[in-house]
Amino acid sequence: MVKKKLVCLSALGIIAGIIPAHVLGDAIPPAYEIEVDSLADWNRVYRHSDTLQLQSLPGDKLDSTRIKPSGASGEYAIYRTADKSFLRSFSIYAYYASGQKYSHPTFSVSSDGKAYREITPDIHESGGNTVEYVSRNFPGSTKYLKITFPGGGGNPCPSIGKVVLNGPANVDASVPSGTVPYGRMIMLNRAEAGETVYYTTDGSDPRSSKTRKHYFSPIPVLGNLTLKTTAVNHSGTGKSAAGIVSTYRYTPVATDAAPVGMIDNLDNFQLAAGRSNVYVAKNDPGYFDNDGGRIARTATGPGYIVYRTDYDIRSFTVYGSFYTGVPVEDQRFFASADGKQYTEISAEAETAGYSQSNWQPYAFEASALPARTRYLKIMLNGSANSWSPQVSKVVINQNTASVKLASKLSGGTVKAELSSDTQGARIYYRLNKGPDFLPYQAPLDLAGYNVVEAYAVKDGLVPSPIRKYSLNAGNEIEVDKFGQMKKANFAAKVASDKQLADDASADEAYYDSVSAPSDRDGYGGLAGSAAKYGLKATGYFAVQEMDGRKVMTAPNGDLYFSLAVNGVTANETYTMVAGREQKFESIPPFDGEYKKAFIGKDNFSFYMANVYRKTGKFPTEHSIYMEAVERLKKWGFNGVGSYSPVKYGEEGKMPYVRMLPLNSMSWAKLNGISIFDIFAPNAEAKIDDAFRKALTPNKDDRMLIGYFIDNEYDFHKFYTNVPKLKASSAAIKGKLVERMRDKYQTVDNYNAAWGTKFGSFDDLKEAEMPVKTSASWRDMDDFYAYYLDTFFGTVSRIYRKYDPNHLLLGDRWITTTFHNEKYRKPLAETEGKYVDVISINYYSYKIETDLLQDVYEESGGKPILFSEFGYGTSEQGLKPLLPNSASNQFQRGMRYRNYVEGAATLPYVVGAHLFNYVDQAGLGRYWQGEWGERYNSGLVNVADRPYKDYLEGIKATNDDIYKLMLKERPKFYYDFNKG
């Protein structure tokens, strides 16, 4: 039994090679190559019956050549897909004589061309003399299509005019043809990802018409409407095909007359009473919902357009688009009765519809304008570029007010109530990207995470913009709308947008009340100390001796204890939201006003969003850095630490550090262990080239303290992991084997020493070399020392070649390495020969002076920098960095005081760098996915609220740091054992 689907069709046909200028949708996998056979010859047919003939019909508008069956029983034609391509769908176009009865061919598919399986296609008939056979979603291994004509004296089969393999399906409309309510939105739904949908409303063919439009937003029925639609498909090699034309016809029910008002589509200025600094832009209509006329400014200064009416203006909606890559400055609106005295009026701005090519539609709405308003002035602003924003339509008095949503959580569900300020308006909604908008009749009871889109329309009026809302009624919510952990209760927890807005004045008062220490020079060093203590001005940061201790000095020679903060950036506040939306109370839509709080579409920063809610502007990387520098100075810090945007350090606001580019050298990375493979081919030459490019531009920067080599190498894994590597992918393993060959000469000698049974030294290269005998441990001791000397010696030599001015600050030891004498002593001894400062990422409950003294002595007296440390609490629902280190923010401050004051009084410690500026995201920083770090590590929280109790302790120590070093006051100590 042949399945029939009756669809109203225009003339059938396929147009190959249609590739729109701007293609939406997902790419079709290249394994499904589009093939179009117009049957001009038999070249594309793999095999066919000899009795089949090609019929030529010159001038035929549909298909000028066709397969004509002879009527013999069992005639067939077989198609085989191209090499490395498979069959996922087909569309076959056939024709019969008007009024003639006919039989359908049969269709079967195969993966090997031997065993065929008959399939039943959908059959589309126009009621004329055309028919289309369509079928899709075959098994992934399908390569053959067989068309069989039954013949044998029955009704004749149609002649086949075109065969399309892997082409598009027809386009389905969300509402069938017929009479529909006024303002009903029609959605056009593509059958497969990767298909691009086009439509026309003027009766022309959407496959070729110059007036065709690219579909990406619903189409309202405001009058008699004929929609002709088609889909275009694209293969991985660039081939394309357009599909069947589906036609849908709609008639709205009788509507009320529109009230006195105006709709200006801005194709020209005929409806405007005045304008300045604007013109009609007609380029790239596809970016603006197919709008071919919008107003934009001729220059970056404000532009305006004025409307004058003979009736009172009561309400308006102004549609426009903002380019999401530049700062958004809202449009402004002014009302007047006489065109002379204008009063600024507020308008509610929200996203409207769906973004396209980085252009996001917005709508500004206002109602209840001042009495006797006869003039409306619309002002466009945007200092970044004159072409953003663009205004596409102005509706006066004939606009339907947008849908508002009120929601209430109850018993594991959320009740969502939709409304419009336009009395008598009908509301339609779409839930979770469903195929259609549905009439709203009663509040929605929703469970779990939902996205609701809604619009309102009243007869005779323009439908409202489509608004989008997200609602989460699930029991998995962990993060509230402000990025705070939902279950955590603490005094400074934000409960409303108003609280955040009020922070602007509260922040200003707080920061005005805090002053930087008065004894600092321009670098944050102790002013006047160079002359007082006989320290030399070297022009750059340096290490000197003063009264028997190692000290760092600023370029002017003043004493400098490095109190820096790492991570002066919002990077760690972004968290992965895609795929786990149910864990967040509310995530703004990506294509809305919060787009600048996203990285890609998957990662969102509640911190960025909260700053926007506070200030009305999204912070930039630069503004975050510069604001932080001023705050840090007031809190007594004098430097910006690692993992901060170094390009702003060049502006000279505060001393900063850089990182050598070793971590970016993928050719030197090893599997399973984070160390640098210094034995990789041409390593020295590659390092030399990279250092030349990276170091030369900054070698004269006086605000630059120096360079870290890298971060937290796995030296504690050296003995276990290096012998397991394969020399084919790790040069360090080949070097180890080479040294064993040089030492033992014969593999028997090696086996005897290491307790192994290898047949040759070559066998060692890809095999695991077990370290279990005393001799093997001694050999690994020697190789570890050899590696360290080669690595640090090479790096230091090339570093000094390109930058003789700045300090080499070591490689930020991980605490595990520091605590193990076996790795610590050789590392300290080697670095003592090559670096200026040994850096340790030193997270600890207390300062372990015995271990630090050991590092100092083994290194030959090199100073130590604590390059990373910090404490946190769990009171805000975040992790505390070091468990049980502090129960509240006051105790965090006490931990800081104990640590930093203990460090400053040691005669070989030259600084301590705190991790970090802003708390990490509550569900983990984005690049680590679901299990990313989520520490209470910041000086400010996700709402950009400073931890004042914590900072009070920090400032008490920072302000006195030089008094501590000079023993002008005793070291502070808070006894946690006493509570």
PDB file of all heavy atoms in Angstrom, residues 773-801:
ATOM      1  N   THR A 773      65.503  -1.332  41.304  1.00  0.00           N
ATOM      2  CA  THR A 773      66.763  -1.689  41.967  1.00  0.00           C
ATOM      3  C   THR A 773      67.484  -0.430  42.432  1.00  0.00           C
ATOM      4  O   THR A 773      67.192   0.687  41.975  1.00  0.00           O
ATOM      5  CB  THR A 773      67.683  -2.458  41.007  1.00  0.00           C
ATOM      6  OG1 THR A 773      68.065  -1.589  39.932  1.00  0.00           O
ATOM      7  CG2 THR A 773      66.985  -3.690  40.444  1.00  0.00           C
ATOM      8  N   SER A 774      68.455  -0.624  43.324  1.00  0.00           N
ATOM      9  CA  SER A 774      69.228   0.526  43.815  1.00  0.00           C
ATOM     10  C   SER A 774      69.954   1.215  42.666  1.00  0.00           C
ATOM     11  O   SER A 774      70.012   2.452  42.597  1.00  0.00           O
ATOM     12  CB  SER A 774      70.244   0.062  44.872  1.00  0.00           C
ATOM     13  OG  SER A 774      69.584  -0.465  45.997  1.00  0.00           O
ATOM     14  N   ALA A 775      70.506   0.419  41.753  1.00  0.00           N
ATOM     15  CA  ALA A 775      71.220   0.996  40.620  1.00  0.00           C
ATOM     16  C   ALA A 775      70.292   1.810  39.741  1.00  0.00           C
ATOM     17  O   ALA A 775      70.661   2.885  39.247  1.00  0.00           O
ATOM     18  CB  ALA A 775      71.880  -0.113  39.798  1.00  0.00           C
ATOM     19  N   SER A 776      69.055   1.316  39.518  1.00  0.00           N
ATOM     20  CA  SER A 776      68.111   2.055  38.674  1.00  0.00           C
ATOM     21  C   SER A 776      67.722   3.370  39.330  1.00  0.00           C
ATOM     22  O   SER A 776      67.588   4.397  38.650  1.00  0.00           O
ATOM     23  CB  SER A 776      66.866   1.207  38.381  1.00  0.00           C
ATOM     24  OG  SER A 776      66.150   0.919  39.559  1.00  0.00           O
ATOM     25  N   TRP A 777      67.559   3.384  40.620  1.00  0.00           N
ATOM     26  CA  TRP A 777      67.233   4.634  41.315  1.00  0.00           C
ATOM     27  C   TRP A 777      68.390   5.623  41.205  1.00  0.00           C
ATOM     28  O   TRP A 777      68.178   6.814  41.004  1.00  0.00           O
ATOM     29  CB  TRP A 777      66.903   4.364  42.789  1.00  0.00           C
ATOM     30  CG  TRP A 777      65.488   3.862  42.977  1.00  0.00           C
ATOM     31  CD1 TRP A 777      65.107   2.577  43.156  1.00  0.00           C
ATOM     32  CD2 TRP A 777      64.302   4.650  42.983  1.00  0.00           C
ATOM     33  NE1 TRP A 777      63.739   2.492  43.275  1.00  0.00           N
ATOM     34  CE2 TRP A 777      63.214   3.764  43.173  1.00  0.00           C
ATOM     35  CE3 TRP A 777      64.039   6.006  42.842  1.00  0.00           C
ATOM     36  CZ2 TRP A 777      61.900   4.193  43.238  1.00  0.00           C
ATOM     37  CZ3 TRP A 777      62.724   6.450  42.921  1.00  0.00           C
ATOM     38  CH2 TRP A 777      61.668   5.538  43.106  1.00  0.00           C
ATOM     39  N   ARG A 778      69.627   5.124  41.335  1.00  0.00           N
ATOM     40  CA  ARG A 778      70.777   6.027  41.204  1.00  0.00           C
ATOM     41  C   ARG A 778      70.876   6.575  39.784  1.00  0.00           C
ATOM     42  O   ARG A 778      71.194   7.754  39.579  1.00  0.00           O
ATOM     43  CB  ARG A 778      72.069   5.287  41.578  1.00  0.00           C
ATOM     44  CG  ARG A 778      72.221   5.005  43.069  1.00  0.00           C
ATOM     45  CD  ARG A 778      73.634   4.555  43.395  1.00  0.00           C
ATOM     46  NE  ARG A 778      74.000   3.306  42.722  1.00  0.00           N
ATOM     47  CZ  ARG A 778      73.783   2.088  43.233  1.00  0.00           C
ATOM     48  NH1 ARG A 778      73.205   1.959  44.428  1.00  0.00           N
ATOM     49  NH2 ARG A 778      74.159   1.013  42.564  1.00  0.00           N
ATOM     50  N   ASP A 779      70.586   5.720  38.798  1.00  0.00           N
ATOM     51  CA  ASP A 779      70.630   6.188  37.411  1.00  0.00           C
ATOM     52  C   ASP A 779      69.550   7.250  37.153  1.00  0.00           C
ATOM     53  O   ASP A 779      69.788   8.218  36.425  1.00  0.00           O
ATOM     54  CB  ASP A 779      70.428   5.017  36.453  1.00  0.00           C
ATOM     55  CG  ASP A 779      71.650   4.116  36.385  1.00  0.00           C
ATOM     56  OD1 ASP A 779      72.742   4.573  36.765  1.00  0.00           O
ATOM     57  OD2 ASP A 779      71.500   2.954  35.953  1.00  0.00           O
ATOM     58  N   MET A 780      68.395   7.061  37.752  1.00  0.00           N
ATOM     59  CA  MET A 780      67.341   8.063  37.585  1.00  0.00           C
ATOM     60  C   MET A 780      67.692   9.355  38.317  1.00  0.00           C
ATOM     61  O   MET A 780      67.353  10.457  37.859  1.00  0.00           O
ATOM     62  CB  MET A 780      65.991   7.527  38.066  1.00  0.00           C
ATOM     63  CG  MET A 780      65.349   6.502  37.128  1.00  0.00           C
ATOM     64  SD  MET A 780      65.098   7.119  35.429  1.00  0.00           S
ATOM     65  CE  MET A 780      63.985   8.484  35.718  1.00  0.00           C
ATOM     66  N   ASP A 781      68.389   9.238  39.481  1.00  0.00           N
ATOM     67  CA  ASP A 781      68.878  10.447  40.158  1.00  0.00           C
ATOM     68  C   ASP A 781      69.786  11.243  39.218  1.00  0.00           C
ATOM     69  O   ASP A 781      69.668  12.464  39.096  1.00  0.00           O
ATOM     70  CB  ASP A 781      69.663  10.084  41.423  1.00  0.00           C
ATOM     71  CG  ASP A 781      68.773   9.594  42.550  1.00  0.00           C
ATOM     72  OD1 ASP A 781      67.553   9.866  42.516  1.00  0.00           O
ATOM     73  OD2 ASP A 781      69.291   8.919  43.471  1.00  0.00           O
ATOM     74  N   ASP A 782      70.683  10.519  38.551  1.00  0.00           N
ATOM     75  CA  ASP A 782      71.626  11.188  37.653  1.00  0.00           C
ATOM     76  C   ASP A 782      70.894  11.805  36.456  1.00  0.00           C
ATOM     77  O   ASP A 782      71.219  12.917  36.030  1.00  0.00           O
ATOM     78  CB  ASP A 782      72.668  10.182  37.141  1.00  0.00           C
ATOM     79  CG  ASP A 782      73.606   9.717  38.240  1.00  0.00           C
ATOM     80  OD1 ASP A 782      73.698  10.411  39.278  1.00  0.00           O
ATOM     81  OD2 ASP A 782      74.239   8.657  38.057  1.00  0.00           O
ATOM     82  N   PHE A 783      69.917  11.060  35.924  1.00  0.00           N
ATOM     83  CA  PHE A 783      69.194  11.577  34.754  1.00  0.00           C
ATOM     84  C   PHE A 783      68.325  12.780  35.126  1.00  0.00           C
ATOM     85  O   PHE A 783      68.216  13.741  34.362  1.00  0.00           O
ATOM     86  CB  PHE A 783      68.334  10.470  34.135  1.00  0.00           C
ATOM     87  CG  PHE A 783      67.713  10.869  32.829  1.00  0.00           C
ATOM     88  CD1 PHE A 783      68.500  11.203  31.732  1.00  0.00           C
ATOM     89  CD2 PHE A 783      66.329  10.944  32.682  1.00  0.00           C
ATOM     90  CE1 PHE A 783      67.929  11.576  30.522  1.00  0.00           C
ATOM     91  CE2 PHE A 783      65.751  11.317  31.485  1.00  0.00           C
ATOM     92  CZ  PHE A 783      66.558  11.639  30.395  1.00  0.00           C
ATOM     93  N   TYR A 784      67.709  12.748  36.309  1.00  0.00           N
ATOM     94  CA  TYR A 784      66.919  13.877  36.802  1.00  0.00           C
ATOM     95  C   TYR A 784      67.789  15.124  36.900  1.00  0.00           C
ATOM     96  O   TYR A 784      67.424  16.203  36.419  1.00  0.00           O
ATOM     97  CB  TYR A 784      66.318  13.519  38.157  1.00  0.00           C
ATOM     98  CG  TYR A 784      65.490  14.598  38.817  1.00  0.00           C
ATOM     99  CD1 TYR A 784      64.464  15.249  38.146  1.00  0.00           C
ATOM    100  CD2 TYR A 784      65.730  14.959  40.150  1.00  0.00           C
ATOM    101  CE1 TYR A 784      63.697  16.228  38.765  1.00  0.00           C
ATOM    102  CE2 TYR A 784      64.964  15.927  40.779  1.00  0.00           C
ATOM    103  CZ  TYR A 784      63.961  16.560  40.082  1.00  0.00           C
ATOM    104  OH  TYR A 784      63.199  17.534  40.701  1.00  0.00           O
ATOM    105  N   ALA A 785      68.981  14.982  37.471  1.00  0.00           N
ATOM    106  CA  ALA A 785      69.902  16.113  37.600  1.00  0.00           C
ATOM    107  C   ALA A 785      70.354  16.600  36.224  1.00  0.00           C
ATOM    108  O   ALA A 785      70.460  17.817  35.975  1.00  0.00           O
ATOM    109  CB  ALA A 785      71.102  15.721  38.448  1.00  0.00           C
ATOM    110  N   TYR A 786      70.606  15.655  35.321  1.00  0.00           N
ATOM    111  CA  TYR A 786      71.029  16.015  33.962  1.00  0.00           C
ATOM    112  C   TYR A 786      69.926  16.766  33.235  1.00  0.00           C
ATOM    113  O   TYR A 786      70.173  17.775  32.565  1.00  0.00           O
ATOM    114  CB  TYR A 786      71.403  14.737  33.204  1.00  0.00           C
ATOM    115  CG  TYR A 786      71.702  14.950  31.742  1.00  0.00           C
ATOM    116  CD1 TYR A 786      72.851  15.606  31.329  1.00  0.00           C
ATOM    117  CD2 TYR A 786      70.820  14.479  30.767  1.00  0.00           C
ATOM    118  CE1 TYR A 786      73.125  15.787  29.969  1.00  0.00           C
ATOM    119  CE2 TYR A 786      71.082  14.654  29.415  1.00  0.00           C
ATOM    120  CZ  TYR A 786      72.236  15.314  29.023  1.00  0.00           C
ATOM    121  OH  TYR A 786      72.499  15.503  27.687  1.00  0.00           O
ATOM    122  N   TYR A 787      68.680  16.279  33.387  1.00  0.00           N
ATOM    123  CA  TYR A 787      67.535  16.951  32.758  1.00  0.00           C
ATOM    124  C   TYR A 787      67.389  18.367  33.291  1.00  0.00           C
ATOM    125  O   TYR A 787      67.253  19.332  32.514  1.00  0.00           O
ATOM    126  CB  TYR A 787      66.239  16.174  33.016  1.00  0.00           C
ATOM    127  CG  TYR A 787      65.020  16.984  32.670  1.00  0.00           C
ATOM    128  CD1 TYR A 787      64.567  17.085  31.372  1.00  0.00           C
ATOM    129  CD2 TYR A 787      64.352  17.719  33.661  1.00  0.00           C
ATOM    130  CE1 TYR A 787      63.463  17.871  31.041  1.00  0.00           C
ATOM    131  CE2 TYR A 787      63.252  18.507  33.353  1.00  0.00           C
ATOM    132  CZ  TYR A 787      62.819  18.589  32.038  1.00  0.00           C
ATOM    133  OH  TYR A 787      61.748  19.376  31.724  1.00  0.00           O
ATOM    134  N   LEU A 788      67.419  18.521  34.621  1.00  0.00           N
ATOM    135  CA  LEU A 788      67.237  19.844  35.214  1.00  0.00           C
ATOM    136  C   LEU A 788      68.298  20.817  34.734  1.00  0.00           C
ATOM    137  O   LEU A 788      67.995  21.973  34.389  1.00  0.00           O
ATOM    138  CB  LEU A 788      67.256  19.754  36.746  1.00  0.00           C
ATOM    139  CG  LEU A 788      66.113  18.986  37.411  1.00  0.00           C
ATOM    140  CD1 LEU A 788      66.330  18.912  38.920  1.00  0.00           C
ATOM    141  CD2 LEU A 788      64.765  19.628  37.100  1.00  0.00           C
ATOM    142  N   ASP A 789      69.533  20.382  34.701  1.00  0.00           N
ATOM    143  CA  ASP A 789      70.613  21.271  34.294  1.00  0.00           C
ATOM    144  C   ASP A 789      70.475  21.653  32.814  1.00  0.00           C
ATOM    145  O   ASP A 789      70.694  22.808  32.437  1.00  0.00           O
ATOM    146  CB  ASP A 789      71.965  20.610  34.543  1.00  0.00           C
ATOM    147  CG  ASP A 789      73.099  21.615  34.465  1.00  0.00           C
ATOM    148  OD1 ASP A 789      73.306  22.345  35.451  1.00  0.00           O
ATOM    149  OD2 ASP A 789      73.770  21.665  33.414  1.00  0.00           O
ATOM    150  N   THR A 790      70.086  20.678  31.993  1.00  0.00           N
ATOM    151  CA  THR A 790      69.909  20.965  30.564  1.00  0.00           C
ATOM    152  C   THR A 790      68.761  21.935  30.342  1.00  0.00           C
ATOM    153  O   THR A 790      68.880  22.907  29.586  1.00  0.00           O
ATOM    154  CB  THR A 790      69.648  19.659  29.785  1.00  0.00           C
ATOM    155  OG1 THR A 790      70.703  18.731  30.043  1.00  0.00           O
ATOM    156  CG2 THR A 790      69.566  19.932  28.291  1.00  0.00           C
ATOM    157  N   PHE A 791      67.648  21.683  31.009  1.00  0.00           N
ATOM    158  CA  PHE A 791      66.467  22.516  30.811  1.00  0.00           C
ATOM    159  C   PHE A 791      66.691  23.936  31.325  1.00  0.00           C
ATOM    160  O   PHE A 791      66.556  24.913  30.571  1.00  0.00           O
ATOM    161  CB  PHE A 791      65.255  21.888  31.503  1.00  0.00           C
ATOM    162  CG  PHE A 791      64.034  22.766  31.496  1.00  0.00           C
ATOM    163  CD1 PHE A 791      63.419  23.118  30.305  1.00  0.00           C
ATOM    164  CD2 PHE A 791      63.507  23.259  32.680  1.00  0.00           C
ATOM    165  CE1 PHE A 791      62.306  23.936  30.297  1.00  0.00           C
ATOM    166  CE2 PHE A 791      62.394  24.077  32.678  1.00  0.00           C
ATOM    167  CZ  PHE A 791      61.784  24.418  31.487  1.00  0.00           C
ATOM    168  N   PHE A 792      67.017  24.081  32.600  1.00  0.00           N
ATOM    169  CA  PHE A 792      67.152  25.420  33.171  1.00  0.00           C
ATOM    170  C   PHE A 792      68.348  26.165  32.577  1.00  0.00           C
ATOM    171  O   PHE A 792      68.303  27.383  32.396  1.00  0.00           O
ATOM    172  CB  PHE A 792      67.238  25.345  34.694  1.00  0.00           C
ATOM    173  CG  PHE A 792      65.934  25.027  35.354  1.00  0.00           C
ATOM    174  CD1 PHE A 792      65.683  23.752  35.854  1.00  0.00           C
ATOM    175  CD2 PHE A 792      64.948  25.981  35.461  1.00  0.00           C
ATOM    176  CE1 PHE A 792      64.481  23.446  36.456  1.00  0.00           C
ATOM    177  CE2 PHE A 792      63.734  25.687  36.068  1.00  0.00           C
ATOM    178  CZ  PHE A 792      63.493  24.416  36.556  1.00  0.00           C
ATOM    179  N   GLY A 793      69.409  25.430  32.266  1.00  0.00           N
ATOM    180  CA  GLY A 793      70.563  26.074  31.651  1.00  0.00           C
ATOM    181  C   GLY A 793      70.240  26.635  30.278  1.00  0.00           C
ATOM    182  O   GLY A 793      70.629  27.766  29.942  1.00  0.00           O
ATOM    183  N   THR A 794      69.522  25.852  29.473  1.00  0.00           N
ATOM    184  CA  THR A 794      69.144  26.309  28.126  1.00  0.00           C
ATOM    185  C   THR A 794      68.208  27.507  28.197  1.00  0.00           C
ATOM    186  O   THR A 794      68.402  28.519  27.510  1.00  0.00           O
ATOM    187  CB  THR A 794      68.472  25.159  27.351  1.00  0.00           C
ATOM    188  OG1 THR A 794      69.354  24.047  27.286  1.00  0.00           O
ATOM    189  CG2 THR A 794      68.100  25.609  25.948  1.00  0.00           C
ATOM    190  N   VAL A 795      67.169  27.396  29.024  1.00  0.00           N
ATOM    191  CA  VAL A 795      66.191  28.474  29.144  1.00  0.00           C
ATOM    192  C   VAL A 795      66.865  29.756  29.637  1.00  0.00           C
ATOM    193  O   VAL A 795      66.648  30.847  29.099  1.00  0.00           O
ATOM    194  CB  VAL A 795      65.049  28.057  30.085  1.00  0.00           C
ATOM    195  CG1 VAL A 795      64.165  29.252  30.425  1.00  0.00           C
ATOM    196  CG2 VAL A 795      64.204  26.953  29.452  1.00  0.00           C
ATOM    197  N   SER A 796      67.696  29.645  30.655  1.00  0.00           N
ATOM    198  CA  SER A 796      68.344  30.824  31.228  1.00  0.00           C
ATOM    199  C   SER A 796      69.265  31.497  30.214  1.00  0.00           C
ATOM    200  O   SER A 796      69.265  32.729  30.062  1.00  0.00           O
ATOM    201  CB  SER A 796      69.134  30.429  32.475  1.00  0.00           C
ATOM    202  OG  SER A 796      69.863  31.520  32.978  1.00  0.00           O
ATOM    203  N   ARG A 797      70.049  30.701  29.507  1.00  0.00           N
ATOM    204  CA  ARG A 797      71.008  31.260  28.544  1.00  0.00           C
ATOM    205  C   ARG A 797      70.286  32.034  27.433  1.00  0.00           C
ATOM    206  O   ARG A 797      70.671  33.164  27.090  1.00  0.00           O
ATOM    207  CB  ARG A 797      71.849  30.137  27.937  1.00  0.00           C
ATOM    208  CG  ARG A 797      72.913  30.633  26.970  1.00  0.00           C
ATOM    209  CD  ARG A 797      73.784  29.489  26.466  1.00  0.00           C
ATOM    210  NE  ARG A 797      73.054  28.545  25.632  1.00  0.00           N
ATOM    211  CZ  ARG A 797      72.641  27.353  26.022  1.00  0.00           C
ATOM    212  NH1 ARG A 797      72.865  26.927  27.259  1.00  0.00           N
ATOM    213  NH2 ARG A 797      71.969  26.550  25.202  1.00  0.00           N
ATOM    214  N   ILE A 798      69.221  31.463  26.888  1.00  0.00           N
ATOM    215  CA  ILE A 798      68.502  32.135  25.807  1.00  0.00           C
ATOM    216  C   ILE A 798      67.731  33.337  26.354  1.00  0.00           C
ATOM    217  O   ILE A 798      67.643  34.391  25.711  1.00  0.00           O
ATOM    218  CB  ILE A 798      67.562  31.150  25.092  1.00  0.00           C
ATOM    219  CG1 ILE A 798      68.374  29.973  24.519  1.00  0.00           C
ATOM    220  CG2 ILE A 798      66.785  31.835  23.985  1.00  0.00           C
ATOM    221  CD1 ILE A 798      67.526  28.875  23.931  1.00  0.00           C
ATOM    222  N   TYR A 799      67.205  33.198  27.562  1.00  0.00           N
ATOM    223  CA  TYR A 799      66.485  34.312  28.190  1.00  0.00           C
ATOM    224  C   TYR A 799      67.393  35.524  28.348  1.00  0.00           C
ATOM    225  O   TYR A 799      67.039  36.648  27.987  1.00  0.00           O
ATOM    226  CB  TYR A 799      65.948  33.868  29.553  1.00  0.00           C
ATOM    227  CG  TYR A 799      65.300  34.974  30.345  1.00  0.00           C
ATOM    228  CD1 TYR A 799      64.018  35.415  30.056  1.00  0.00           C
ATOM    229  CD2 TYR A 799      65.969  35.594  31.398  1.00  0.00           C
ATOM    230  CE1 TYR A 799      63.416  36.424  30.779  1.00  0.00           C
ATOM    231  CE2 TYR A 799      65.383  36.609  32.134  1.00  0.00           C
ATOM    232  CZ  TYR A 799      64.108  37.023  31.819  1.00  0.00           C
ATOM    233  OH  TYR A 799      63.523  38.035  32.536  1.00  0.00           O
ATOM    234  N   ARG A 800      68.609  35.305  28.888  1.00  0.00           N
ATOM    235  CA  ARG A 800      69.536  36.429  29.107  1.00  0.00           C
ATOM    236  C   ARG A 800      69.976  37.040  27.769  1.00  0.00           C
ATOM    237  O   ARG A 800      70.272  38.233  27.697  1.00  0.00           O
ATOM    238  CB  ARG A 800      70.780  35.959  29.858  1.00  0.00           C
ATOM    239  CG  ARG A 800      70.521  35.142  31.114  1.00  0.00           C
ATOM    240  CD  ARG A 800      69.909  35.935  32.236  1.00  0.00           C
ATOM    241  NE  ARG A 800      69.744  35.088  33.418  1.00  0.00           N
ATOM    242  CZ  ARG A 800      69.063  35.425  34.503  1.00  0.00           C
ATOM    243  NH1 ARG A 800      68.490  36.605  34.565  1.00  0.00           N
ATOM    244  NH2 ARG A 800      68.961  34.601  35.519  1.00  0.00           N
ATOM    245  N   LYS A 801      69.957  36.239  26.721  1.00  0.00           N
ATOM    246  CA  LYS A 801      70.352  36.738  25.407  1.00  0.00           C
ATOM    247  C   LYS A 801      69.399  37.825  24.920  1.00  0.00           C
ATOM    248  O   LYS A 801      69.833  38.838  24.350  1.00  0.00           O
ATOM    249  CB  LYS A 801      70.376  35.567  24.418  1.00  0.00           C
ATOM    250  CG  LYS A 801      70.627  35.944  22.965  1.00  0.00           C
ATOM    251  CD  LYS A 801      70.589  34.690  22.084  1.00  0.00           C
ATOM    252  CE  LYS A 801      70.725  35.009  20.598  1.00  0.00           C
ATOM    253  NZ  LYS A 801      70.659  33.768  19.770  1.00  0.00           N
TER     254      LYS A 801
END
